[in-house]
Amino acid sequence: LTGYPADMLGLEMDIEADLGIDSIKRVEILSAMEERMPHLPQVTPDMVGTLKTLGQICAYLSAGEDEPAIGTRPCAPIKPVSTDPEPSETIPRRIMDVVESPKKPGRAFRVESGRWIGVLSDNAPMAQSLVDELTNMNIDARLLASRAADNAASFAGTAGLVLCGSTDPETAFLAAKHAAPELLGAATHGDALFAVATGMDGAFGFTGNAFHHPEQGALAGLVKTAALEWKAVICRAIDLSPDFADPDAAAQRVVAELLNVCDHDPVEIGLRPDGRVTLKPVFAQAADGPILLDKKDVVVVTGGARGVTADCALYLARAAGVAIALIGRSAPPFKAPDWLAGVHGEAAMKKAILENSFAASKPTPQILEAAYRKHAANLCITRTIDALASSGVNTGYFSADVTDRESLKKAVDAVEKQLGPITALVHGAGVLHDRLIVEKTVEQFRQVYATKVDGLKNLLSVIRPNNLRHLVLFSSVSARTGNIGQCDYAMANEALNKMARVQAMNRPTCRVSAINWGPWDGGMVTPALKKAFDAKNIRLIPVDTGARLMAAEMNNADPGPVEVLIGSMLTSKTDDESAEFSDAPMALLECRELDLQRYPVLASHIIGGRPVVPFALITEWIGHGALKENPGYSLHGIDDLRLLSGIRIEQEKKLVRLMAGRARKTGDAVQVDLELRNGVKNGKDVIHTRARALLVDRFPAAPIFTGNSKNGSRAYPRDLDAIYGPILFHGDQLRAIKAIDDYSEHGMTARLTGAPKPEAWMQDPIQGSWMADPMVLDGAFQMAIVWCFEQSGKVCLPSYARAYRQYRPAFPASGVTAVMSVTAAGHRKMIADFTFLDDDRQVVATLAGYEATVDESLIHAFKENVLKTVFKEHIQ
């Protein structure tokens, strides 16, 4: 039935309700179908519940290909690929950070009586050391040769299995497959363990140090997937630094790690003699750089004739004019028959094929399906080639299997003969055979793993190495997180990630990127899968956006991060999302070039001889950013406003980016996370300021000010001229303090002037009026400086504010009275609260938990500015 259009079948009865076939039986039926008809697409376990009628099953299976290649579903007409800048829609980009993570106390690993732990490896000194150390801990441990992986009987009675990094990936997969029943059984009466011990750099390659045998990375991909499929089994991937003195010392640390069970430990743990690290994904933007490709370059794209890689190839062609060589397994394109002209859609194509190719006979469903796939593939390839040619670039399609080195070499020779030397490679070929570890066959594993890993090895062996300036590998987020049913795919892509790192070290003139893609809105993502992704809050990458993001990695001005994650993660909410700031992508709202010409107010805020953006002005930008994407609201507050590093203006312009996260409802208000960023350092964005804004559609009533008797009523002894210059570094445009009314060791009260209109401080202001009042806020910070100086002879600069609240749309034009109450003061920090009052003593705003860094050396930076000002006035 699967060979015929679903709408011709009329089989809409519900399988479970009408035929009595439950979900378990459904899995058995679909598995049997796959064995008998391997050309059909796989139905993963999480999809079974979405296929409820025979019509739905037929519609899904009819979309199959002769081989389960990624991105080879019947293609729609090629759409124009825009080369415009990234749209406002934000797709998250992450890199991995190595985090110091001391081991927390846990419980002891419990082995059921009579069970044992196996260590599998051939001739690895580490393996015997692990067995000896486990034995020392009174655990029955046995050394297993690699051939044990071929037979499930080898693992009878095991409570754990540890694989050494020297284990071949296929052997590791077979060992996991055959040990799984015993491990799952052991977990019902005690603990069960599945672990690998690799030896890269002690951080899975993320330290940047050289390491060997990158295919060890595949073992971590296997363990991460096992952790998702075997919830009851403790799964760990341990990477060991080469700094351990000997295998025995390393084995002691590994065994101590594995036998101390902490429920919240991650799967991946790096060990070195003096510490322990884990990995954390952090958001980071690519550094803008020029496209270093032109029409003289030749880009080879594997898997690029159909699917998402075709769109990526088309983007490169239109953006840089490069020649594109597409390499795929399908036969070269042929002229489509006239009777297919104007025929669109699977059902219509199959009907046309039946009427024209099989007019005299009735084909079997499999024969019809094969004929349809042949014409659909040819149509996709032809459309891609035509689209590339219409872009004005040289192009060609070359048929080869990347796992067959000889056929690949012939294709590469033909590419160079027809188009010229190959200078860039995009390896996008891949296949899927989604099945649980225990159900997957070794043939399926080999197909998936070889296409990625052996394919890259073959490509690098037949392409002249000295010419290659770009190497882009299409990896998957499943390599980072694992994915149910995709142990082979996770393993292949993790191996690819580590191979990319080694290539980057060995090819200093080649820009190497391993892009761990989240799911795309294309390729093999069916409507059923889209629905499942939506239910998990997983956003898909639009094809046009993904193509731009690939090019951005190739153009990245920062060559540091080799492995990047683009798109949604496949796992659920991370621990980081419950932290102070949510782990969510941020959209670019504003880009501002800062210098003295554009922002003349900065000439009144010079510290240590350099203009520095005032913290109060940063606060204003934070408020604007929160409101820009949330019209109809007003700024009520800013929480956890933290200055991470000052924005200093050097000789060149400073390009500052204002970033905002998605608004989220909290009670009657809306919260928005915001950051100010500038530049990239060590592969990560430099974040200057971070805060959380609070928006409301109606201001709450202001609190009643009851006075502050602790401040006292003692008059301040100095006049303003004795403050500005000798104590404060602020220039004329930032003289916020009009008078200090009273002062004591507990605080200060001062009258502050309001800010002029934004255009008086800067060219092209973001808006025509202030959200709060940056002059008033800066005046409050100036009060803190004066108070610190009077108390200790030291000065201070702002670093943090816990909670700012504003109770009206704007500050009074006549200025305010600010009451500062100091709550703590020490050698390094002072903490204070501020209340801002109008002329009627009504509360305009409050600032609670303001913190300033107190440092004796700051006075010298302040004085340097004063001396330069005096000298300049004297010369004039």
Side-chain angles (χ1 to χ4, degrees):
L1 293 176
T2 60
Y4 293 89
D7 57 1
M8 295 169 61
L9 298 173
L11 300 176
E12 297 305 316
M13 68 280 288
D14 186 279
I15 292 175
E16 187 165 351
D18 298 333
L19 302 182
I21 299 176
D22 61 20
S23 59
I24 296 176
K25 190 65 178 177
R26 220 177 309 168
V27 173
E28 295 175 358
I29 293 172
L30 293 169
S31 296
M33 289 176 63
E34 180 191 358
E35 291 178 6
R36 298 185 62 178
M37 292 178 282
H39 64 282
L40 295 178
Q42 285 70 48
V43 181
T44 59
D46 59 343
M47 293 177 57
V48 171
T50 67
L51 304 177
K52 295 184 179 297
T53 69
L54 288 178
Q56 289 172 342
I57 291 177
C58 291
Y60 174 77
L61 296 177
S62 296
E65 301 292 333
D66 55 345
E67 51 194 358
I70 297 174
T72 54
R73 290 175 58 77
C75 65
I78 293 289
K79 298 178 181 179
V81 178
S82 171
T83 56
D84 293 337
E86 181 71 13
S88 59
E89 173 184 22
T90 300
I91 299 299
R93 176 187 187 270
R94 300 173 177 89
I95 62 175
M96 297 307 296
D97 200 8
V98 179
V99 180
E100 294 289 338
S101 182
K103 182 73 173 180
K104 296 179 180 179
R107 61 173 179 81
F109 184 86
R110 301 185 299 263
V111 181
E112 182 185 2
S113 177
R115 288 191 175 270
W116 53 280
I117 293 179
V119 179
L120 189 144
S121 180
D122 285 334
N123 304 318
M126 176 65 156
Q128 186 60 57
S129 295
L130 286 171
V131 170
D132 293 343
E133 185 62 23
L134 287 166
T135 302
N136 291 339
M137 303 300 291
N138 298 316
I139 292 177
D140 183 5
R142 306 175 190 178
L143 185 63
L144 300 174
S146 293
R147 62 178 179 274
D150 298 333
N151 189 349
S154 302
F155 305 102
T158 54
L161 177 62
V162 181
L163 309 177
C164 288
S166 58
T167 307
D168 173 75
E170 182 177 314
T171 300
F173 157 69
L174 284 172
K177 172 183 172 70
H178 291 143
E182 282 294 330
L183 297 179
L184 291 169
T188 61
H189 297 95
D191 286 328
L193 172 69
F194 179 57
V196 300
T198 57
M200 286 178 275
D201 62 351
F204 301 92
F206 287 100
T207 65
N209 297 326
F211 63 90
H212 306 287
H213 310 300
E215 282 189 72
Q216 292 180 85
L219 303 188
L222 172 62
V223 176
K224 285 181 282 191
T225 299
L228 298 175
E229 295 187 10
W230 310 339
K231 296 291 188 182
V233 178
I234 298 166
C235 296
R236 295 289 184 267
I238 310 293
D239 190 47
L240 294 161
S241 164
D243 296 333
F244 281 98
D246 53 50
D248 290 344
Q252 290 175 6
R253 288 290 303 280
V254 171
V255 170
E257 179 69 45
L258 296 178
L259 297 187
N260 181 9
V261 181
C262 297
D263 293 335
H264 298 294
D265 268 346
V267 174
E268 292 175 299
I269 297 166
L271 296 178
R272 59 175 187 257
D274 60 346
R276 177 182 187 268
V277 299
T278 54
L279 304 177
K280 177 184 177 181
V282 295
F283 290 102
Q285 285 191 319
D288 294 335
I291 292 181
L292 300 178
L293 295 169
D294 56 37
K295 61 183 180 181
K296 299 188 296 294
D297 289 289
V298 177
V299 181
V300 165
V301 183
T302 67
R306 294 179 278 169
V308 296
T309 41
D311 294 276
C312 291
L314 188 57
Y315 181 90
L316 285 179
R318 291 175 174 170
V322 296
I324 299 291
L326 303 173
I327 293 181
R329 283 173 297 187
S330 298
F334 55 87
K335 185 181 183 304
D338 293 339
W339 45 262
L340 269 182
V343 178
H344 302 291
E346 181 182 340
M349 284 183 65
K350 285 184 176 179
K351 184 176 181 181
I353 292 169
L354 277 170
E355 293 172 351
N356 291 276
S357 293
F358 301 101
S361 62
K362 186 175 182 179
T364 65
Q366 190 168 356
I367 291 175
L368 176 59
E369 186 67 23
Y372 164 71
R373 290 194 305 274
K374 175 184 174 182
H375 284 290
N378 179 68
L379 183 61
C380 283
I381 295 171
T382 301
R383 285 174 175 169
T384 301
I385 293 292
D386 290 346
L388 287 167
S390 66
S391 299
V393 302
N394 294 324
T395 188
Y397 177 81
F398 304 85
S399 181
D401 183 345
V402 293
T403 65
D404 182 344
R405 187 182 182 281
E406 291 307 312
S407 75
L408 189 61
K409 187 177 187 310
K410 290 179 181 178
V412 166
D413 290 343
V415 169
E416 295 196 329
K417 182 177 180 180
Q418 179 176 327
L419 300 176
I422 297 167
T423 56
L425 169 62
V426 178
H427 182 35
V431 301
L432 287 176
H433 271 302
D434 288 1
R435 277 292 175 268
L436 299 176
I437 293 172
V438 295
E439 297 174 353
K440 197 180 298 286
T441 67
V442 68
E443 289 77 16
Q444 291 168 339
F445 172 87
R446 287 171 180 167
Q447 264 197 312
V448 173
Y449 190 83
T451 303
K452 286 288 184 185
V453 179
D454 294 346
L456 177 60
K457 292 178 183 177
N458 291 337
L459 285 162
L460 294 177
S461 72
V462 299
I463 294 176
R464 298 176 191 177
N466 294 336
N467 294 332
L468 209 59
R469 293 192 289 112
H470 284 281
L471 174 60
V472 181
L473 308 181
F474 272 36
S475 181
S476 166
V477 71
S478 64
R480 172 87 335 256
T481 63
N483 196 25
I484 293 175
Q486 291 190 338
C487 75
D488 44 8
Y489 197 58
M491 292 173 72
N493 284 300
E494 262 293 59
L496 213 64
N497 289 336
K498 308 314 168 190
M499 293 168 73
R501 289 190 167 275
V502 173
Q503 289 297 318
M505 286 183 274
N506 295 339
R507 299 172 183 262
T509 60
C510 181
R511 178 73 177 93
V512 182
S513 296
I515 305 176
N516 291 241
W517 293 110
W520 287 58
D521 192 3
M524 292 297 287
V525 177
T526 64
L529 281 178
K530 284 185 182 181
K531 186 176 180 180
F533 284 139
D534 286 340
K536 294 179 180 179
N537 230 5
I538 295 174
R539 290 187 298 153
L540 303 180
I541 303 171
V543 172
D544 280 3
T545 303
R548 279 190 289 270
L549 293 174
M550 183 201 72
E553 291 304 319
M554 298 177 72
N555 307 333
N556 191 357
D558 177 14
V562 174
E563 295 181 53
V564 297
L565 292 85
I566 296 180
S568 294
M569 306 286 273
L570 298 178
T571 52
S572 58
K573 183 177 179 180
T574 67
D575 292 339
D576 295 329
E577 289 180 302
S578 61
E580 181 180 1
F581 286 85
S582 64
D583 180 24
M586 289 195 169
L588 176 64
L589 295 183
E590 292 281 348
C591 239
R592 289 272 154 168
E593 283 191 341
L594 306 184
D595 59 19
L596 286 175
Q597 182 178 354
R598 289 177 173 82
Y599 286 77
V601 69
L602 298 182
S604 291
H605 202 264
I606 295 177
I607 304 175
R610 294 187 180 91
V612 178
V613 178
F615 194 39
L617 189 55
I618 290 174
T619 304
E620 183 70 23
W621 289 343
I622 291 291
H624 164 78
L627 290 172
K628 183 173 183 182
E629 297 294 309
N630 299 283
Y633 286 92
S634 298
L635 177 67
H636 174 48
I638 299 176
D639 289 341
D640 297 313
L641 177 62
R642 188 175 298 279
L643 183 65
L644 301 173
S645 65
I647 305 177
R648 295 174 177 84
I649 310 301
E650 309 291 343
Q651 294 296 326
E652 72 279 1
K653 301 179 180 69
K654 182 81 76 172
L655 183 65
V656 176
R657 304 189 305 276
L658 176 60
M659 315 292 295
R662 286 186 174 182
R664 55 190 186 277
K665 193 75 172 175
T666 171
D668 294 330
V670 169
Q671 286 186 349
V672 183
D673 293 342
L674 299 113
E675 291 177 350
L676 274 182
R677 302 178 184 177
N678 164 250
V680 176
K681 185 176 181 181
N682 297 327
K684 291 179 279 188
D685 280 13
V686 176
I687 302 174
H688 292 293
T689 307
R690 172 177 284 162
R692 183 187 303 114
L694 197 67
L695 309 180
V696 294
D697 54 10
R698 183 173 54 194
F699 284 105
I704 304 297
F705 180 66
T706 57
N708 189 344
S709 57
K710 288 181 64 177
N711 279 3
S713 57
R714 183 173 40 165
Y716 183 69
R718 305 178 194 269
D719 59 25
L720 292 181
D721 289 336
I723 296 174
Y724 286 103
I727 302 175
L728 297 174
F729 62 87
H730 303 74
D732 291 343
Q733 284 191 291
L734 287 175
R735 286 198 172 204
I737 300 176
K738 293 193 291 186
I740 298 178
D741 295 336
D742 54 53
Y743 155 83
S744 76
E745 63 271 18
H746 299 294
M748 178 182 289
T749 302
R751 282 172 284 158
L752 307 178
T753 187
K757 289 186 178 296
E759 57 263 29
W761 278 10
M762 64 195 73
Q763 295 179 7
D764 187 26
I766 293 178
Q767 56 190 25
S769 60
W770 301 112
M771 300 271 175
D773 191 315
M775 180 76 95
V776 165
L777 290 179
D778 202 81
F781 307 156
Q782 293 173 33
M783 291 169 63
I785 295 173
V786 173
W787 185 89
C788 280
F789 181 82
E790 298 294 356
Q791 290 295 306
S792 64
K794 301 175 184 178
V795 291
C796 64
L797 284 176
S799 61
Y800 175 76
R802 178 170 51 82
Y804 169 78
R805 292 292 182 269
Q806 186 170 319
Y807 297 97
R808 59 182 72 177
F811 274 60
S814 59
V816 300
T817 296
V819 179
M820 179 181 73
S821 300
V822 178
T823 58
H827 294 296
R828 292 292 182 184
K829 179 167 49 174
M830 68 89 70
I831 304 176
D833 297 334
F834 292 88
T835 303
F836 303 99
L837 307 171
D838 63 14
D839 292 340
D840 297 323
R841 307 291 284 179
Q842 300 297 308
V843 175
V844 178
T846 60
L847 178 61
Y850 167 78
E851 297 182 10
T853 301
V854 180
D855 195 322
E856 190 172 3
S857 65
L858 286 174
I859 195 69
H860 302 296
F862 286 17
K863 294 296 184 183
E864 181 181 347
N865 175 51
V866 173
L867 289 173
K868 286 186 176 182
T869 303
V870 171
F871 179 73
K872 181 179 178 181
E873 291 174 351
H874 176 72
I875 293 298
Q876 289 175 342

